[in-house]
Amino acid sequence: MSTDLLSSARKVMVIVAHPDDAEIQCGGTVARLARQGAAVSYVLCTSGNRGASEPAMTSERLTALREAEQRTAAARRGVSDMTFWRHDDGDLAYAAQPLRRELTGLIRQQRPDVIITHDPFAGLGRYEVCYLHPDHRAAGQAAFEAAFFCAGGSLFYPDQIAAGLAPHRVAALYLVMSDAPDSCVDIGDTFAVKVAAIQAHHSQWGKQPDLEGFFRRMAEQSGARWGVPLAEAFRLMQ
Ligand SMILES: [Zn+2]
Protein backbone atom coordinates (compact mmCIF):
# COMPACT_ATOMS: atom_id res chain seq x y z
CA MET A 1 0.00 0.00 0.00
CA SER A 2 1.41 3.36 -0.88
CA THR A 3 -0.01 4.89 2.31
CA ASP A 4 2.06 2.54 4.49
CA LEU A 5 4.82 5.09 5.11
CA LEU A 6 2.20 7.62 6.15
CA SER A 7 0.27 5.36 8.50
CA SER A 8 3.44 4.09 10.18
CA ALA A 9 5.09 7.53 10.52
CA ARG A 10 5.90 8.73 14.01
CA LYS A 11 6.60 12.31 12.96
CA VAL A 12 4.62 14.06 10.25
CA MET A 13 5.07 17.61 9.01
CA VAL A 14 2.21 19.26 7.14
CA ILE A 15 3.35 22.15 4.92
CA VAL A 16 0.52 24.21 3.41
CA ALA A 17 0.04 27.59 1.82
CA HIS A 18 -2.96 28.91 3.79
CA PRO A 19 -4.96 28.40 6.97
CA ASP A 20 -7.75 25.86 6.15
CA ASP A 21 -5.73 24.01 3.45
CA ALA A 22 -4.67 21.30 5.89
CA GLU A 23 -8.16 20.81 7.31
CA ILE A 24 -9.72 20.54 3.85
CA GLN A 25 -7.11 18.35 2.20
CA CYS A 26 -5.89 16.08 4.97
CA GLY A 27 -7.90 16.90 8.11
CA GLY A 28 -9.26 13.37 8.53
CA THR A 29 -5.85 11.80 7.95
CA VAL A 30 -4.16 14.09 10.47
CA ALA A 31 -6.82 13.31 13.08
CA ARG A 32 -6.24 9.62 12.47
CA LEU A 33 -2.45 9.97 12.77
CA ALA A 34 -2.78 11.99 15.97
CA ARG A 35 -5.08 9.31 17.46
CA GLN A 36 -2.43 6.71 16.64
CA GLY A 37 0.12 8.73 18.62
CA ALA A 38 2.07 10.33 15.77
CA ALA A 39 3.51 13.80 16.38
CA VAL A 40 2.09 16.13 13.75
CA SER A 41 3.37 19.65 13.14
CA TYR A 42 1.96 22.32 10.86
CA VAL A 43 3.83 24.85 8.75
CA LEU A 44 1.72 27.71 7.39
CA CYS A 45 3.61 29.49 4.63
CA THR A 46 1.13 32.39 4.60
CA SER A 47 -1.53 33.34 7.11
CA GLY A 48 -4.04 34.00 4.34
CA ASN A 49 -3.76 37.74 4.92
CA ARG A 50 -5.57 38.66 1.70
CA GLY A 51 -8.41 36.15 1.84
CA ALA A 52 -11.30 38.56 2.53
CA SER A 53 -13.54 40.90 0.55
CA GLU A 54 -15.05 43.01 3.36
CA PRO A 55 -13.91 46.63 2.80
CA ALA A 56 -13.31 47.21 6.53
CA MET A 57 -10.93 44.26 6.90
CA THR A 58 -7.18 44.89 7.14
CA SER A 59 -4.37 42.49 6.38
CA GLU A 60 -3.13 42.64 9.98
CA ARG A 61 -6.53 41.85 11.50
CA LEU A 62 -7.08 39.06 9.02
CA THR A 63 -3.69 37.52 9.87
CA ALA A 64 -4.56 37.49 13.59
CA LEU A 65 -8.06 36.12 12.92
CA ARG A 66 -6.95 33.35 10.58
CA GLU A 67 -4.06 32.25 12.79
CA ALA A 68 -6.47 32.01 15.73
CA GLU A 69 -8.89 29.99 13.57
CA GLN A 70 -6.01 27.74 12.51
CA ARG A 71 -4.95 27.09 16.11
CA THR A 72 -8.52 26.19 17.07
CA ALA A 73 -8.92 23.93 14.02
CA ALA A 74 -5.64 22.15 14.68
CA ALA A 75 -6.38 21.70 18.39
CA ARG A 76 -9.64 19.93 17.46
CA ARG A 77 -7.52 17.24 15.84
CA GLY A 78 -4.77 17.01 18.43
CA VAL A 79 -2.19 19.26 16.74
CA SER A 80 -0.54 22.10 18.65
CA ASP A 81 2.88 22.47 17.00
CA MET A 82 2.50 25.27 14.50
CA THR A 83 4.89 27.52 12.61
CA PHE A 84 3.58 30.62 10.82
CA TRP A 85 6.02 32.06 8.27
CA ARG A 86 3.68 34.94 7.34
CA HIS A 87 4.66 35.39 3.73
CA ASP A 88 2.14 37.46 1.80
CA ASP A 89 -0.93 35.58 0.62
CA GLY A 90 -0.80 35.32 -3.19
CA ASP A 91 2.90 36.21 -3.42
CA LEU A 92 4.43 32.96 -2.21
CA ALA A 93 6.06 32.19 -5.57
CA TYR A 94 8.10 35.39 -5.16
CA ALA A 95 9.36 34.22 -1.77
CA ALA A 96 10.70 30.93 -3.13
CA GLN A 97 14.27 31.37 -1.91
CA PRO A 98 13.63 32.43 1.69
CA LEU A 99 10.81 29.88 1.92
CA ARG A 100 13.02 26.99 0.80
CA ARG A 101 15.66 28.03 3.29
CA GLU A 102 13.13 28.29 6.14
CA LEU A 103 11.63 24.90 5.31
CA THR A 104 15.07 23.27 5.07
CA GLY A 105 15.97 24.57 8.52
CA LEU A 106 12.70 23.39 10.02
CA ILE A 107 13.00 19.93 8.44
CA ARG A 108 16.53 19.59 9.85
CA GLN A 109 15.26 20.71 13.24
CA GLN A 110 12.02 18.68 13.48
CA ARG A 111 13.26 15.66 11.47
CA PRO A 112 9.90 14.36 10.17
CA ASP A 113 9.53 10.85 8.71
CA VAL A 114 7.11 12.10 6.07
CA ILE A 115 5.76 15.41 4.83
CA ILE A 116 2.27 16.17 3.57
CA THR A 117 2.18 19.10 1.16
CA HIS A 118 0.59 20.44 -2.04
CA ASP A 119 1.30 18.75 -5.36
CA PRO A 120 3.46 21.32 -7.20
CA PHE A 121 3.00 19.49 -10.49
CA ALA A 122 -0.79 19.33 -10.50
CA GLY A 123 -2.82 20.82 -13.30
CA LEU A 124 0.09 21.59 -15.60
CA GLY A 125 -1.54 19.93 -18.60
CA ARG A 126 -4.72 21.94 -18.35
CA TYR A 127 -6.04 25.06 -16.74
CA GLU A 128 -7.89 24.39 -13.51
CA VAL A 129 -7.72 27.23 -11.06
CA CYS A 130 -7.94 25.20 -7.87
CA TYR A 131 -4.97 23.09 -8.90
CA LEU A 132 -2.97 26.03 -10.17
CA HIS A 133 -3.34 28.40 -7.22
CA PRO A 134 0.10 30.04 -7.29
CA ASP A 135 0.57 29.73 -3.52
CA HIS A 136 -0.28 26.02 -3.53
CA ARG A 137 2.26 25.34 -6.25
CA ALA A 138 4.88 27.54 -4.57
CA ALA A 139 4.43 25.86 -1.18
CA GLY A 140 4.59 22.39 -2.74
CA GLN A 141 7.61 23.25 -4.87
CA ALA A 142 9.57 24.72 -1.95
CA ALA A 143 8.65 21.75 0.29
CA PHE A 144 9.66 19.28 -2.43
CA GLU A 145 13.04 20.97 -2.97
CA ALA A 146 13.72 21.43 0.74
CA ALA A 147 12.84 17.81 1.58
CA PHE A 148 14.47 15.99 -1.31
CA PHE A 149 17.40 18.19 -2.27
CA CYS A 150 18.40 20.62 0.46
CA ALA A 151 17.75 19.15 3.92
CA GLY A 152 19.91 16.07 3.30
CA GLY A 153 22.83 17.89 1.71
CA SER A 154 25.23 19.62 4.07
CA LEU A 155 26.38 22.07 1.38
CA PHE A 156 22.92 23.60 1.24
CA TYR A 157 22.66 26.38 3.82
CA PRO A 158 25.89 25.40 5.63
CA ASP A 159 25.23 28.10 8.23
CA GLN A 160 22.39 25.90 9.53
CA ILE A 161 24.80 22.97 9.84
CA ALA A 162 27.39 25.20 11.53
CA ALA A 163 24.68 26.26 13.99
CA GLY A 164 24.22 22.64 15.04
CA LEU A 165 21.51 21.24 12.76
CA ALA A 166 22.29 17.90 11.13
CA PRO A 167 21.25 16.98 7.56
CA HIS A 168 18.01 15.01 7.43
CA ARG A 169 16.43 12.88 4.74
CA VAL A 170 12.64 12.62 4.56
CA ALA A 171 11.34 9.18 3.57
CA ALA A 172 8.40 10.37 1.48
CA LEU A 173 6.17 13.22 0.49
CA TYR A 174 2.41 12.75 0.38
CA LEU A 175 0.94 15.29 -2.02
CA VAL A 176 -2.56 16.70 -1.66
CA MET A 177 -4.68 18.42 -4.33
CA SER A 178 -3.04 16.17 -6.87
CA ASP A 179 -4.64 15.46 -10.22
CA ALA A 180 -2.85 12.09 -10.18
CA PRO A 181 -3.54 10.60 -6.73
CA ASP A 182 -2.37 7.02 -6.28
CA SER A 183 -3.67 6.14 -2.83
CA CYS A 184 -6.16 7.15 -0.19
CA VAL A 185 -6.63 7.13 3.56
CA ASP A 186 -9.96 5.96 4.99
CA ILE A 187 -11.37 8.84 7.07
CA GLY A 188 -14.68 7.21 8.00
CA ASP A 189 -13.80 7.36 11.71
CA THR A 190 -12.46 10.90 11.66
CA PHE A 191 -14.75 12.64 9.15
CA ALA A 192 -16.81 14.33 11.90
CA VAL A 193 -13.62 15.71 13.48
CA LYS A 194 -12.50 16.97 10.08
CA VAL A 195 -15.76 18.88 9.60
CA ALA A 196 -15.57 20.32 13.13
CA ALA A 197 -12.04 21.53 12.39
CA ILE A 198 -13.10 23.17 9.11
CA GLN A 199 -15.92 24.93 10.99
CA ALA A 200 -13.23 26.67 13.05
CA HIS A 201 -12.25 28.54 9.86
CA HIS A 202 -15.33 30.69 10.23
CA SER A 203 -13.99 33.63 8.15
CA GLN A 204 -13.71 31.36 5.12
CA TRP A 205 -16.50 28.81 5.60
CA GLY A 206 -19.04 30.52 7.87
CA LYS A 207 -21.41 31.23 4.99
CA GLN A 208 -21.37 27.75 3.47
CA PRO A 209 -24.97 26.50 3.95
CA ASP A 210 -24.16 22.78 3.98
CA LEU A 211 -20.58 22.38 5.10
CA GLU A 212 -20.99 18.76 6.17
CA GLY A 213 -22.64 17.76 2.87
CA PHE A 214 -20.08 19.66 0.79
CA PHE A 215 -17.13 17.87 2.39
CA ARG A 216 -18.94 14.54 2.53
CA ARG A 217 -19.30 14.65 -1.27
CA MET A 218 -15.64 15.58 -1.61
CA ALA A 219 -14.61 12.63 0.62
CA GLU A 220 -16.90 10.27 -1.30
CA GLN A 221 -15.35 11.36 -4.60
CA SER A 222 -11.82 10.95 -3.22
CA GLY A 223 -12.46 7.36 -2.12
CA ALA A 224 -14.64 6.17 -5.00
CA ARG A 225 -11.75 4.81 -7.03
CA TRP A 226 -10.65 2.57 -4.17
CA GLY A 227 -14.12 1.63 -2.92
CA VAL A 228 -13.61 3.57 0.33
CA PRO A 229 -16.79 5.42 1.41
CA LEU A 230 -15.04 8.50 2.87
CA ALA A 231 -11.41 9.19 2.07
CA GLU A 232 -8.63 11.68 1.42
CA ALA A 233 -6.47 11.04 -1.62
CA PHE A 234 -2.70 11.44 -1.94
CA ARG A 235 0.05 11.10 -4.47
CA LEU A 236 3.13 9.41 -3.04
CA MET A 237 6.52 10.80 -3.97
CA GLN A 238 9.72 9.06 -2.87
ZN1 LIG B 1 -5.04 27.38 -0.06
Side-chain angles (χ1 to χ4, degrees):
M1 277 286 287
S2 53
T3 52
D4 283 356
L5 284 170
L6 183 58
S7 41
S8 63
R10 305 304 304 153
K11 277 182 130 179
V12 179
M13 181 184 276
V14 181
I15 300 172
V16 288
H18 311 113
D20 84 5
D21 285 339
E23 278 67 44
I24 293 167
Q25 301 300 330
C26 59
T29 302
V30 165
R32 201 175 147 153
L33 291 168
R35 276 184 194 176
Q36 288 166 7
V40 182
S41 66
Y42 273 19
V43 183
L44 278 294
C45 298
T46 84
S47 291
N49 60 317
R50 288 169 174 159
S53 48
E54 299 85 0
M57 183 55 82
T58 66
S59 217
E60 291 73 23
R61 276 178 45 221
L62 192 57
T63 295
L65 174 64
R66 296 197 66 183
E67 288 185 7
E69 289 177 346
Q70 181 62 80
R71 286 184 201 285
T72 304
R76 286 182 186 173
R77 288 166 314 129
V79 178
S80 56
D81 185 338
M82 245 162 294
T83 304
F84 294 98
W85 290 122
R86 293 181 186 146
H87 292 287
D88 268 331
D89 189 2
D91 283 355
L92 204 50
Y94 304 98
Q97 282 193 326
L99 180 62
R100 192 176 80 166
R101 177 188 171 77
E102 289 158 353
L103 293 177
T104 301
L106 206 58
I107 290 167
R108 286 171 169 170
Q109 194 188 323
Q110 296 194 356
R111 313 183 80 72
D113 304 317
V114 304
I115 288 176
I116 299 175
T117 191
H118 301 277
D119 186 345
F121 312 108
L124 290 177
R126 59 189 199 280
Y127 190 82
E128 288 193 25
V129 173
C130 66
Y131 285 124
L132 287 175
H133 189 301
D135 286 350
H136 294 165
R137 289 183 65 188
Q141 182 71 29
F144 162 66
E145 291 181 21
F148 281 175
F149 296 100
C150 305
S154 56
L155 295 179
F156 282 98
Y157 313 119
D159 57 310
Q160 294 179 356
I161 305 296
L165 294 178
H168 177 68
R169 216 162 268 287
V170 175
L173 297 189
Y174 281 90
L175 305 176
V176 297
M177 295 196 75
S178 179
D179 52 3
D182 53 20
S183 55
C184 77
V185 170
D186 186 335
I187 60 161
D189 290 344
T190 52
F191 177 72
V193 182
K194 169 178 177 143
V195 173
I198 296 170
Q199 279 165 344
H201 293 284
H202 192 74
S203 68
Q204 307 300 303
W205 293 97
K207 291 185 180 137
Q208 168 66 242
D210 180 19
L211 195 78
E212 203 270 352
F214 181 84
F215 285 103
R216 179 174 289 279
R217 287 188 290 279
M218 185 173 152
E220 284 169 352
Q221 256 175 23
S222 297
R225 193 170 131 194
W226 293 278
V228 178
L230 296 172
E232 287 166 346
F234 298 90
R235 175 182 177 185
L236 171 63
M237 182 166 281
Q238 278 181 286

